[in-house]
Amino acid sequence: MRKTLTFAFLLLSMTSFAQDAKRQIAIIPEPVSVKQGSGSFRLPAQIRVEAPANPELKQVLAVLKQHFSVVAGSTYSVSTVLPGADIRLILNSTENSAIGKEGYQLSVTRKNILIKANQPAGLFYGVQSLLQLFPKEIESKERVAGVKWEAPVVEITDNPRFGWRGLMFDVARHFFTKAEVKQFIDDMVRYKYNLLHLHLTDDEGWRLEIKGLPKLTEVGAWNVKKTGYFGTFSKPTPDEPKDYGGFYTQDDIKELVQYAKERFVDILPEIDVPGHSLAAVVSYPELSCTPEANTYQVRSGEEIMDWSKGNPPTALVDNTLCPANEKVYEFLDKVMTQVAQLFPFEYIHVGGDECPKNYWEKSPAIKELMQREGLHHMEEVQSYFEKRLEKIVSSKGKKFLGWDEILEGGLASGAAVMSWQGMKGGIQAAKMKHEVVMSPTTYTYIDYMQGDPIIEPRIYASLRLNKTYEFEPVPDEVDPKYIKGGQANLWTEQVYNMRHQQYMTWPRAFAVAETLWSPKEKKNWNHFFGKVEQHFERFDAADKKYAPSVYDPSFTASFTTDKQLKIELGKEVETLDIYYSFDNSFPDSHYPKYTSALIAPKDAVMLKVVTYKGKKQTGRIIAMPIAELKSRAEKAKK
Ligand code: ACM
């Protein structure tokens, strides 16, 4: 009998060991140090939490309660002193300098969980890592029954590489409600982002109530809802209702700032001037250098700039504020006074990007300004504007931050630069000893397509997950102390709703989160991708959307010397198999497997491809017309 019991026990512990061994820890972003032990912590039916009385821990406790009680079903109690507590949160009485303001130590034993940090933010991040140790169902919004709520025994020590870990959300091109912005914040903090950059104004809308300037939101916040391909929409006719859009009242902003603060997120407001200002110009045409501005309307996605000559674009309507007009500086003073009061964050972003100069070139007032101030070209006119704006912003006690175009024509002293046209603007600014945030199109523009345009919603360019993962914010040639961190930018010309917002943001924001938080030497694409797959499952459990584009192949087309069409398929993930057909039928794992470049049969009209991992379909079936491949091969020849 005794023998049988011992044997049964041995068998049981072997089974549980096998399960432990199976569970790979998959925390994104990768912590500084993870030491996995053996065994696991099992969530008890009654979960008892010990936490110091500190109002800043409100959300830390709310997160624990939501996931462990509402979802996992344990009863939940919290107290400041609780001997034998299952979860203990400790704010260090003596600072542990190794983990800084946002770091934490998380210890999971078979018996209990301990999270220690210097500051409440560290406990918040410790809890985010803790949740990722539990089964994916913990991400659900409702109670899930029948799950073994276990976390592996582990010791984690962690702190971020950068203090600026941002996501930009463009709420100007399409308005997203206060509740939607809160949802965006909820999602970003799960991956330890701490900065939300709100792009509040653009040609398509002014989204912020400014007292004393009511037309900005009565007129400037509204346009005509169009459906199709942004940038090519028909010009609104007088009978089309301008009822699409919206704005945040000052009370809304206070609520959002508070909501973000409770989750250890700062909000960076962006007022994009002097370009991208059509909504302001339509509201107050006297801010323009161009007399016919009083006939303009807020953009609804029709073409308003010609990009054929690059940046700066040529404007088809004058979407700029007039640097030669004193009323513009009075306007900006009023705006910046209120922005500074509403947003406690130390920076105000003033845009400065993609400012057309062709209307300025025609303006007598600009000509006069240039003579008076000794300005030689239009970049110096913009620089004059930026320097005056820098004075306004700093007079409100805020730091001035702009897109890298503010370097052209001379940078205001004290200005910080957000580098978007690649890394070069950031490098130049850092060399001039200015603060820099890196958000280059080449790695962090998450509005770009994640795969081939044949299947993705079309936008200007592509940026695949593996390329995003290569982002390194500190170039060799600069002093790292000037690089405050980085961010991913979600422009929303083509993003009309929150589901598509999620599709565009994730998984690329996993990659940027890991770059900004984790030690550089711990980054590893294969390990990261393994984690991404687990987080896809967590997103499924949470009913959140993500792009599966990483599973889809890329296409390269060329012509052989004997003029046949040659097609090479590429993949981001080595372990996938690609199957294909040229006969219009849907390929699956019984079809020919791609092993080397394909030659299209002479009369084929369509190549269809799909990826599998073993027997499981991973990618989407992509139907690629042969005519499209031929046209790409022709272009590649040029
Ligand atoms: C930008 O993407 N125009 C900053």
Side-chain angles (χ1 to χ4, degrees):
M1 176 71 186
R2 196 175 165 76
K3 248 189 183 160
T4 335
L5 258 181
T6 316
F7 180 71
F9 176 74
L10 205 74
L11 205 71
L12 252 175
S13 44
M14 274 169 65
T15 326
S16 101
F17 176 75
Q19 278 176 356
D20 291 342
K22 251 193 340 203
R23 185 173 301 150
Q24 191 209 355
I25 291 180
I27 296 174
I28 299 177
E30 185 66 22
V32 171
S33 161
V34 179
K35 294 201 174 79
Q36 188 167 2
S38 68
S40 53
F41 170 86
R42 180 135 197 202
L43 206 64
Q46 298 177 334
I47 182 112
R48 299 161 75 244
V49 180
E50 183 183 291
N54 183 325
E56 285 188 73
L57 294 182
K58 187 173 143 202
Q59 276 312 311
V60 177
L61 296 171
V63 169
L64 287 176
K65 186 170 180 192
Q66 166 61 25
H67 292 277
F68 292 148
S69 182
V70 176
V71 179
S74 296
T75 61
Y76 172 92
S77 60
V78 58
S79 180
T80 50
V81 185
L82 203 48
D86 306 295
I87 301 182
R88 290 181 68 208
L89 305 178
I90 294 180
L91 283 173
N92 295 328
S93 47
T94 319
E95 170 151 334
N96 173 355
S97 59
I99 56 172
K101 286 202 300 262
E102 297 182 296
Y104 63 91
Q105 290 170 297
L106 165 62
S107 165
V108 179
T109 68
R110 287 167 190 249
K111 278 215 191 96
N112 54 28
I113 292 165
L114 173 67
I115 310 178
K116 293 203 291 188
N118 296 326
Q119 303 276 339
L123 293 181
F124 187 68
Y125 296 130
V127 165
Q128 303 307 336
S129 292
L130 175 66
L131 287 179
Q132 295 186 22
L133 295 173
F134 279 88
K136 60 181 188 297
E137 293 83 359
I138 203 82
E139 305 291 346
S140 167
K141 291 182 188 71
E142 296 124 25
R143 170 106 174 83
V144 186
V147 176
K148 240 167 122 190
W149 298 110
E150 287 181 344
V153 165
V154 69
E155 294 288 331
I156 295 176
T157 304
D158 203 8
N159 66 291
R161 180 175 172 206
F162 293 103
W164 187 299
R165 302 183 303 279
L167 280 181
M168 190 211 76
F169 192 16
D170 169 7
V171 292
R173 265 49 179 278
H174 289 284
F175 179 62
F176 289 85
T177 64
K178 183 174 62 177
E180 288 169 334
V181 175
K182 286 182 182 176
Q183 192 188 324
F184 192 86
I185 293 171
D186 289 345
D187 292 348
M188 64 188 271
V189 298
R190 300 300 311 278
Y191 294 91
K192 304 188 177 87
Y193 282 99
N194 65 354
L195 182 116
L196 172 63
H197 169 174
L198 283 182
H199 181 74
L200 288 165
T201 71
D202 215 302
D203 300 318
E204 297 78 8
W206 182 284
R207 306 298 178 201
L208 177 64
E209 179 193 15
I210 299 292
K211 308 252 181 194
L213 294 167
K215 286 194 198 156
L216 285 175
T217 44
E218 283 167 15
V219 176
W222 306 97
N223 61 7
V224 178
K225 169 98 166 85
K226 302 266 177 175
T227 306
Y229 185 47
F230 187 96
T232 66
F233 291 150
S234 52
K235 215 171 144 196
T237 55
D239 59 324
E240 282 181 292
K242 290 188 177 56
D243 56 3
Y244 183 64
F247 65 94
Y248 310 110
T249 65
Q250 297 208 347
D251 282 343
D252 288 337
I253 293 294
K254 287 177 195 152
E255 191 179 320
L256 281 175
V257 165
Q258 181 61 22
Y259 188 89
K261 181 166 177 262
E262 286 172 4
R263 289 154 183 81
F264 307 96
V265 168
D266 286 311
I267 300 186
L268 167 71
E270 182 187 352
I271 305 295
D272 196 355
V273 288
H276 286 282
S277 292
L278 188 59
V281 165
V282 173
S283 308
Y284 294 100
E286 62 271 28
L287 301 176
S288 170
C289 294
T290 303
E292 69 261 27
N294 59 8
T295 64
Y296 291 165
Q297 43 191 341
V298 178
R299 186 185 185 210
S300 300
E302 65 277 17
E303 193 183 12
I304 63 161
M305 289 194 269
D306 170 6
W307 285 96
S308 58
K309 296 198 191 77
N311 191 11
T314 306
L316 310 178
V317 298
D318 185 4
N319 63 343
T320 67
L321 302 184
C322 186
N325 183 349
E326 284 308 307
K327 281 193 187 138
V328 164
Y329 302 102
E330 286 161 27
F331 167 83
L332 288 170
D333 193 280
K334 219 177 240 181
V335 170
M336 293 303 167
T337 302
Q338 295 181 41
V339 170
Q341 282 163 357
L342 285 169
F343 294 91
F345 192 50
E346 60 183 316
Y347 295 82
I348 294 178
H349 196 310
V350 298
D353 58 319
E354 300 177 325
C355 179
K357 312 287 189 319
N358 51 307
Y359 281 91
W360 294 359
E361 277 159 8
K362 292 194 292 205
S363 162
I366 295 283
K367 198 171 280 168
E368 204 238 314
L369 171 77
M370 291 175 80
Q371 276 161 4
R372 195 179 74 227
E373 298 293 331
L375 308 173
H376 302 97
H377 48 76
M378 289 301 146
E379 281 64 39
E380 284 185 1
V381 173
Q382 181 167 349
S383 174
Y384 167 85
F385 170 89
E386 303 294 354
K387 285 174 181 155
R388 287 199 59 180
L389 183 52
E390 197 271 338
K391 285 205 178 76
I392 294 173
V393 168
S394 54
S395 77
K396 314 298 168 201
K398 297 291 181 179
K399 291 187 179 173
F400 175 97
L401 169 65
W403 299 112
D404 53 59
E405 284 94 334
I406 65 170
L407 282 155
E408 295 162 14
L411 190 59
S413 66
V417 171
M418 192 170 268
S419 189
W420 76 278
Q421 299 179 93
M423 308 282 284
K424 62 184 187 312
I427 294 171
Q428 189 188 340
K431 285 187 171 164
M432 291 158 65
K433 302 190 182 342
H434 288 258
E435 290 182 330
V436 169
V437 175
M438 289 292 190
S439 64
T441 51
T442 33
Y443 299 101
T444 71
Y445 262 43
I446 57 174
D447 59 323
Y448 285 4
M449 293 175 288
Q450 304 175 69
D452 196 281
I454 206 74
I455 184 160
E456 299 295 336
R458 263 187 211 219
I459 189 118
Y460 325 110
S462 292
L463 174 65
R464 297 191 71 125
L465 177 65
N466 60 349
K467 178 81 175 166
T468 306
Y469 194 67
E470 288 171 18
F471 177 39
E472 167 46 43
V474 184
D476 288 341
E477 64 264 51
V478 305
D479 184 338
K481 79 173 187 222
Y482 294 110
I483 311 294
K484 296 189 68 63
Q487 62 180 50
N489 296 336
L490 182 64
W491 302 99
T492 60
E493 287 98 317
Q494 305 278 15
V495 181
Y496 291 77
N497 61 58
M498 284 300 274
R499 292 301 282 181
H500 193 54
Q501 174 278 115
Q502 291 177 348
Y503 178 96
M504 297 307 288
T505 306
W506 313 103
R508 288 178 297 186
F510 296 153
V512 175
E514 188 145 304
T515 293
L516 297 175
W517 178 283
S518 309
K520 186 176 167 184
E521 60 282 3
K522 288 210 87 176
K523 281 180 68 181
N524 174 299
W525 165 253
N526 288 330
H527 178 59
F528 171 72
F529 185 70
K531 297 190 296 182
V532 167
E533 290 197 291
Q534 292 203 34
H535 283 252
F536 282 167
E537 291 183 11
R538 301 182 79 85
F539 267 48
D540 288 338
D543 194 21
K544 286 196 277 190
K545 198 164 181 165
Y546 55 88
S549 321
V550 61
Y551 291 117
D552 295 331
S554 59
F555 299 79
T556 310
S558 57
F559 291 113
T560 60
T561 44
D562 55 350
K563 299 202 170 53
Q564 297 188 87
L565 178 65
K566 180 174 153 191
I567 308 149
E568 286 164 284
L569 303 176
K571 52 192 180 182
E572 288 183 65
V573 182
E574 276 314 309
T575 49
L576 300 180
D577 294 318
I578 308 174
Y579 297 92
Y580 66 93
S581 78
F582 279 111
D583 63 6
N584 305 315
S585 65
F586 296 110
D588 61 24
S589 59
H590 297 265
Y591 273 61
K593 190 193 282 190
Y594 176 83
T595 51
S596 59
L598 304 173
I599 299 295
K602 190 160 147 259
D603 298 320
V605 290
M606 190 70 81
L607 166 65
K608 286 189 178 148
V609 299
V610 66
T611 61
Y612 275 69
K613 194 178 203 180
K615 288 276 163 219
K616 185 169 171 265
Q617 182 179 336
T618 48
R620 299 166 288 194
I621 290 189
I622 300 181
M624 173 64 85
I626 297 297
E628 167 68 18
L629 290 170
K630 283 187 175 157
S631 139
R632 292 184 190 186
E634 285 295 344
K635 278 199 197 117
K637 269 203 312 204
K638 286 174 193 151

